[in-house]
Amino acid sequence: MPDTASHILLVETPPALQRHLRLALGPLGLRLHWPEVGQVLESLDGRRVAAMVLPLASEGGLSERQALRLTREAHARGVPVLLLTQELPEAVRVMAAHPVGAADVLACPSEPQVLRARVAGLVKRFQAHAAQEALRESEERYRLTTLATSDAMYDWDMVTNRLHWSPHVRTLFGHPPAGIRPDFHWWARTLHREDRRRVLASLGEAIDRGAIKWREEYRFGRVDGSYADVVDQGYILRDTSGRPLRMVGGMQDVTERKRAERNLRFLSEAGARLGSNLELEETLHRLAWLSVPRLADWCSVDMVGDSGRLHRMALAHPKPRKQARACELWTRQVESASRRSLLAHVVETGRPRWTPTITPAHLAEVAGGSVEALAALELLGAGSYILMPLKARGRVMGVLGLVMAESGRHHDETDVVLAEELANRASLAVDNALLYQRAQQAISVRDDFLSIAAHELRTPTTSLKLNVQALLRRLSGDGPMPPREQLLSRLESIEQGVARQEALGSQLLEVTSLSAGSLQLHREPVDLVEVVRGAMAPLAQQAEKAGCELVLVEHGPVVGQWDRSRLAQVVTHLLANALKYGAGKPVRVRAVGGADWAHLSVSDRGIGIAPEHLSRIFGRFERAVSGQHYGGLGLGLYITRRIVEALNGEVHVNSRPGRGSTFTVRLPYSPVRPQPPSHEARQSSHEEVPDRDGSLHAD
């Protein structure tokens, strides 16, 4: 417990003087100490000494030198000194020898009430000085505390209603000194209007119930019109009757912490909502609306299609009727700015792009000189944007576009980090949705294939069965034997059915072999023109039935190191495809050689292929039209692509719906003279080379 009593040192006091001093000073209630000269410094440093009484030699006490030294020590500690003397000159000499001198001098003998009054005056002087020092130290500690903390400290005099703020109220909230009113009402007006009633009620309740602590969270206005999240904690000082006198506290800016907490909750909710659905369109729709208004005033999601072009898949805006046209125009202009798409740049680099503030110069650049576009962009009022790539498994699937417009908000670095985290979660959900979509498509393709395969296998089987049953009836004596011509026709039909069954089985086995990476090639000098002629001959009857004229364009032999039977397969599949889809019109075949490549093209004038199907028709079981209208297993073009790739070539198609299709094969080519195949040549040219998927096959 601290010692708050006033101590008086009476140094080297003779016994008679001690009795006199006890009698005189007793009524003051002071603690009297009677140290010798050697104990004075210890007493000064160990007690709260309010005054020191020094009797001089004339009173049987200290010498002038001793008195001067002790006076200096007392003065250094702020302790007043009373000199007792019977000879005034000696006291004058002591006081004159010290620039400040003693606090007072008293001639002895003196009346007790006079001595008592002098000492009481010294004590009051000391106590006033001590109080001033304590106040100064307290204010200095308060000043240092306000400098050391980042909080906005305040001191509210609840009696006068005046409120003193620390300098941090300016640094935290931007209010200039002239705008800060030193009263309670300025603080109350600066509270967010949605929080004001609650906060004032909470403070009033704490004051009324006699609380000494108060804590509340609310939004406090900044000079720019925005609001900071703060935690306010104050201490209420009261008098002995409990009446509130003063409140001291501080406001801590927790905006970033609150923002981080909100962001974590937002990401948690976004991850749950995006991951709860496997439908691609619904996932993208949810992503767009999750971003509005948390990260943008409107949001777009563009996905990379099979052709590499971006397609708008989702758009979220709270006022679609009012802003839809401007939003679409904004996106169109962004994609075409400076002849380079900003969205395409994000796709190519895989890195986000953002602008914290869109300036008029930026808008003019995006508008590309179009007055109409510039007017629409200004109407939209876009102030900031973020373009964030959606990436999964090392590839960019799309772009998330976030635009701040009519709200007047602008993106900052924290928003970019949040958008990136959202994009990461969205990318996982989108990738899962795409995988699910592809799995569903694969299942649908498989089911279609099984249905078509069953039909294709059943059709020749039915014909075979009917023909065999008719022949068995005739041979068993059920009716006369058919004429020789009719019998031959039935046998030819049976042979064709068997051949068709054999071809279907061969295709299925071929696909199994290709999938296993075991395609074997036997390279030898082969004339492409000769192979084409050989493939066209068996198809002449089929072409005649389809009403197609087969036309071959060639300029002499084109001999290269290829596999004869595999190359014949390629030509046969392409011709069969042209006859199927180009029935009734000529089919043109072109086989020519160049410096480094041999070219084979098959053109028809049939139904053509829609652009969205061009990239997938070379896939296994894929077809651009319904299998109900055109037969086949959907394997011919797949087998063609795999054989051409194994020959280190390439195949592609150009087509327009209703205008026909042209399939072109390019094979590496160095002109050689044709040579008859031999067993030794076949053995020496047989080798295993890695397939495109990393497996080995014979080459």
Side-chain angles (χ1 to χ4, degrees):
M1 182 174 180
D3 185 5
T4 59
S6 296
H7 297 262
I8 305 297
L9 300 184
L10 300 103
V11 184
E12 292 287 352
T13 308
L17 184 57
Q18 284 189 22
R19 290 192 296 273
H20 179 67
L21 292 174
R22 286 182 190 277
L23 179 64
L25 301 180
L28 295 178
L30 304 172
R31 292 190 179 184
L32 305 180
H33 302 273
W34 312 91
E36 297 178 356
V37 173
Q39 299 172 330
V40 172
L41 293 181
E42 182 180 354
S43 298
L44 285 172
D45 293 334
R47 294 183 176 89
R48 187 173 182 267
V49 179
M52 186 166 62
V53 178
L54 300 179
L56 298 181
S58 61
E59 283 289 335
L62 303 172
S63 67
E64 293 180 12
R65 177 176 295 180
Q66 289 174 323
L68 177 60
R69 182 171 64 82
L70 293 180
T71 299
R72 287 174 174 171
E73 294 292 345
H75 178 74
R77 292 165 175 77
V79 178
V81 176
L82 176 63
L83 300 177
L84 300 180
T85 181
Q86 292 183 4
E87 297 179 3
L88 191 58
E90 68 175 345
V92 172
R93 286 192 296 272
V94 172
M95 296 174 69
H98 192 271
V100 178
D104 204 353
V105 60
L106 182 62
C108 292
S110 60
E111 295 296 329
Q113 62 270 22
V114 176
L115 178 61
R116 187 183 305 123
R118 291 292 184 89
V119 172
L122 292 178
V123 171
K124 288 182 179 179
R125 189 183 305 172
F126 169 78
Q127 290 175 341
H129 175 74
Q132 290 177 353
E133 284 297 311
L135 179 61
R136 185 189 63 80
E137 291 178 1
S138 176
E139 291 178 346
E140 180 65 13
R141 284 195 298 271
Y142 175 75
R143 186 184 68 85
L144 294 176
T145 300
T146 58
L147 292 176
T149 183
S150 59
D151 298 346
M153 308 297 293
Y154 59 84
D155 186 351
W156 176 26
D157 187 333
M158 303 174 74
V159 177
T160 64
N161 203 31
R162 293 188 64 81
L163 202 154
H164 172 73
W165 291 98
S166 69
H168 283 297
V169 75
R170 299 192 296 271
T171 57
L172 286 179
F173 310 116
H175 296 287
I180 302 174
R181 297 289 300 276
D183 57 55
F184 173 82
H185 299 293
W186 177 82
W187 169 79
R189 288 194 303 270
T190 314
L191 299 176
H192 195 285
R193 65 176 181 272
E194 295 178 1
D195 300 336
R196 186 178 298 126
R197 182 185 298 273
R198 171 180 58 84
V199 174
L200 294 180
S202 171
L203 178 58
E205 192 270 337
I207 294 174
D208 293 341
R209 65 181 170 84
I212 61 173
K213 291 183 180 180
W214 175 76
R215 185 183 186 278
E216 194 59 75
E217 296 185 14
Y218 55 84
R219 288 165 289 180
F220 192 74
R222 296 190 181 101
V223 72
D224 62 1
S226 63
Y227 286 85
D229 291 296
V230 302
V231 174
D232 190 340
Q233 184 164 289
Y235 293 84
I236 304 171
L237 306 178
R238 301 174 182 271
D239 60 15
T240 55
S241 65
R243 185 169 65 98
L245 301 176
R246 184 180 177 189
M247 181 172 174
V248 179
M251 295 192 303
Q252 181 183 8
D253 187 348
V254 295
T255 303
E256 291 304 317
R257 189 190 76 190
K258 288 286 188 180
R259 186 178 185 183
E261 291 173 355
R262 288 193 293 268
N263 289 348
L264 287 176
R265 288 195 298 269
F266 169 73
L267 291 175
S268 176
E269 178 189 355
R273 292 188 61 186
L274 291 173
S276 64
N277 188 278
L278 289 175
E279 295 295 335
L280 180 60
E281 292 186 3
E282 177 62 23
T283 299
L284 298 178
H285 179 78
R286 291 185 181 186
L287 172 60
W289 281 105
L290 274 171
S291 304
V292 176
R294 183 66 184 82
L295 270 171
D297 292 331
W298 62 272
C299 171
S300 63
V301 183
D302 297 88
M303 298 297 293
V304 180
D306 294 336
S307 63
R309 296 177 60 85
L310 285 164
H311 301 279
R312 172 62 44 78
M313 300 295 293
L315 177 66
H317 194 290
K319 300 177 181 178
R321 293 183 179 178
K322 179 179 179 181
Q323 300 290 350
R325 180 176 179 274
C327 291
E328 290 295 334
L329 182 57
W330 160 266
T331 303
R332 188 162 62 250
Q333 293 300 321
V334 165
E335 291 182 352
S336 62
S338 303
R339 296 184 179 180
R340 181 175 179 82
S341 166
L342 296 180
L343 298 175
H345 177 77
V346 173
V347 173
E348 292 172 5
T349 63
R351 294 193 299 269
R353 181 160 183 167
W354 73 289
T355 297
T357 301
I358 299 178
T359 63
H362 193 177
L363 283 180
E365 177 187 357
V366 173
S370 170
V371 176
E372 179 185 0
L374 181 60
L377 292 173
E378 290 175 346
L379 175 64
L380 178 61
S384 177
Y385 73 83
I386 297 176
L387 299 177
M388 190 63 63
L390 300 175
K391 298 186 292 186
R393 294 181 288 145
R395 64 187 182 90
V396 178
M397 302 176 294
V399 179
L400 174 66
L402 305 165
V403 177
M404 292 293 192
E406 58 269 14
S407 68
R409 297 179 295 167
H410 293 268
H411 292 114
D412 57 19
E413 293 182 356
T414 302
D415 291 323
V416 176
V417 173
L418 178 61
E420 186 172 12
E421 290 296 328
L422 175 62
N424 291 338
R425 287 161 174 77
S427 297
L428 180 60
V430 170
D431 190 43
N432 288 338
L434 285 172
L435 291 175
Y436 176 76
Q437 184 183 68
R438 289 167 185 163
Q440 293 297 103
Q441 291 173 348
I443 293 173
S444 177
V445 169
R446 182 203 63 187
D447 293 343
D448 289 345
F449 166 75
L450 292 176
S451 175
I452 294 171
H455 174 75
E456 290 291 323
L457 291 172
R458 186 169 58 249
T459 299
T461 301
T462 301
S463 177
L464 284 172
K465 183 178 179 180
L466 292 174
N467 282 308
V468 169
Q469 288 176 345
L471 290 177
L472 286 175
R473 286 195 301 269
R474 297 295 189 272
L475 292 174
S476 63
D478 186 7
M481 288 293 295
R484 183 174 181 276
E485 292 78 8
Q486 186 177 357
L487 182 62
L488 288 175
S489 176
R490 288 186 177 274
L491 290 174
E492 288 176 356
S493 178
I494 292 174
E495 183 181 26
Q496 290 175 359
V498 171
R500 186 174 179 184
Q501 290 277 46
E502 184 180 16
L504 292 173
S506 297
Q507 281 195 355
L508 292 174
L509 291 175
E510 190 76 32
V511 170
T512 302
S513 176
L514 291 173
S515 300
S518 58
L519 178 64
Q520 292 190 357
L521 297 177
H522 299 280
R523 293 183 182 271
E524 60 182 338
V526 175
D527 182 3
L528 176 61
V529 175
E530 179 184 335
V531 171
V532 171
R533 292 185 184 276
M536 291 174 65
L539 295 173
Q541 185 177 0
Q542 181 180 344
E544 183 178 354
K545 289 182 178 181
C548 296
E549 178 188 2
L550 294 178
V551 179
L552 173 61
V553 177
E554 48 89 7
H555 303 291
V558 180
V559 182
Q561 288 288 336
W562 302 308
D563 184 301
R564 181 182 298 274
S565 63
R566 295 296 185 185
L567 194 56
Q569 278 185 274
V570 169
V571 178
T572 300
H573 285 310
L574 293 179
L575 285 173
N577 188 77
L579 294 175
K580 181 190 300 183
Y581 297 109
K585 297 179 181 179
V587 173
R588 184 172 181 268
V589 184
R590 185 171 181 269
V592 295
D596 300 311
W597 296 87
H599 296 265
L600 167 68
S601 65
V602 178
S603 302
D604 64 73
R605 300 178 187 176
I607 62 174
I609 305 170
E612 61 269 20
H613 299 314
L614 291 176
S615 61
R616 65 179 183 85
I617 59 173
F618 291 101
R620 185 173 52 177
F621 309 136
E622 293 286 358
R623 58 179 66 242
V625 295
S626 172
Q628 296 178 353
H629 301 92
Y630 294 89
L633 300 178
L635 297 175
L637 294 180
Y638 169 73
I639 295 173
T640 296
R641 176 178 66 84
R642 293 300 300 269
I643 293 175
V644 171
E645 289 174 351
L647 291 171
N648 300 320
E650 58 187 40
V651 58
H652 59 86
V653 59
N654 291 320
S655 181
R656 292 176 61 184
R659 302 292 295 275
S661 305
T662 297
F663 289 83
T664 302
V665 175
R666 299 174 71 237
L667 297 172
Y669 168 66
S670 296
V672 296
R673 291 183 178 181
Q675 297 179 2
S678 65
H679 177 72
E680 290 78 6
R682 287 179 178 269
Q683 292 296 326
S684 63
S685 64
H686 184 277
E687 58 181 336
E688 287 189 343
V689 297
D691 202 353
R692 294 176 68 90
D693 60 3
S695 59
L696 294 177
H697 68 268
D699 188 355

